[in-house]
Amino acid sequence: MRDGSLGRVVALVRQDCRLLLRDPAPLIVRTVMPLLIMVFMQPLFRAALRADGESDANGAEQGVPGMAVMFLFFLVNIVGFAVFREHGWNTWDRLRAAGARSGELVAGRVVMPLLVALLQLAAVFGAGVLLFDLRVRGSWAALMVVAVPLSLCVVMVGMALTAVCRTIAQLSVLANLLALFFAGLGGALAPHATLPDWTRPLAPGVPSYWAMRGFTTVILDGGGVADVLVPAAALCAFAVGLTALTLVFFRADQRKLSWS
């Protein structure tokens, strides 16, 4: 990437950073909400895990990664809003006039949400250990091997939806539906073994399934880095596919409609 191109990407990242520091409320809310749900749902998660053969489980083993994954996918909305707000502020044309290309605009809007996603996961898992007695039997490094491609996958879901949606209302509806669909089908709301039989052949088709599989392998089965390479590779494949979809459909000259 040429210096001028890199400079434009860095400028976009700095702008996103300033906006986040000015109003960190969305990040705080998405971190606190899964913990609030855990307060009420931990007994149900404990019962589900013990019914599945985990006799010494306290519920955090399912609840913490499950809520972390579900609320991470709500970040999809924030990723798209970063683009739509430029249209709403009538500053998008200025970015184009400055010579920013479609690839640079995408790259500039990916970095900050990716860092936010990693921070959100770290905060939820850290609070899970401190507040809900989450016991990780395996390697924390293995958790990171899953968390990084998961975060990238979530961000690229947001960029892909931004590329295909023309209005912010379309983006908001699709993002929220996908977050709930992925949470349910992927086993974030309940252990996968307790879900209806019809979900089992469909589950590998969503990234949340592989995220939960990787996290469960580490937390419950004591897995290490080598044990989560398959889930991590699957998440990387999703991210690559979503990146390709974004680059195909993203058009810098397409006018998008923000909130009026």
Side-chain angles (χ1 to χ4, degrees), residues 42 45-62 132-137 219-221:
Q42 187 170 2
F45 291 138
R46 179 168 57 245
L49 286 173
R50 291 184 178 181
D52 195 36
E54 298 290 341
S55 58
D56 61 342
N58 65 16
E61 300 88 348
Q62 166 67 31
F132 302 105
D133 195 26
L134 173 65
R135 298 184 294 270
V136 178
R137 300 175 184 173
I219 294 171
L220 286 175
D221 301 334

Side-chain angles (χ1 to χ4, degrees), residues 26-39 45 60-73 115-136 140 143 147 150 188 212 215 219:
L27 172 61
I28 295 172
V29 168
R30 287 193 309 274
T31 303
V32 171
M33 285 184 67
L35 302 178
L36 287 177
I37 292 176
M38 271 292 298
V39 171
F45 291 138
E61 300 88 348
Q62 166 67 31
V64 172
M67 293 299 100
V69 168
M70 183 174 79
F71 278 89
L72 193 68
F73 275 97
L115 295 177
V116 168
L118 291 170
L119 179 60
Q120 184 176 325
L121 282 175
V124 173
F125 273 94
V129 172
L130 295 174
L131 301 177
F132 302 105
D133 195 26
L134 173 65
R135 298 184 294 270
V136 178
W140 281 91
L143 287 181
L150 169 62
M212 288 303 299
F215 288 146
I219 294 171

Side-chain angles (χ1 to χ4, degrees), residues 7 19 51 89 91 96 166 173 196 205 212 239:
L19 291 171
W89 293 344
T91 55
R96 294 180 58 208
R166 189 166 182 270
V173 169
M212 288 303 299

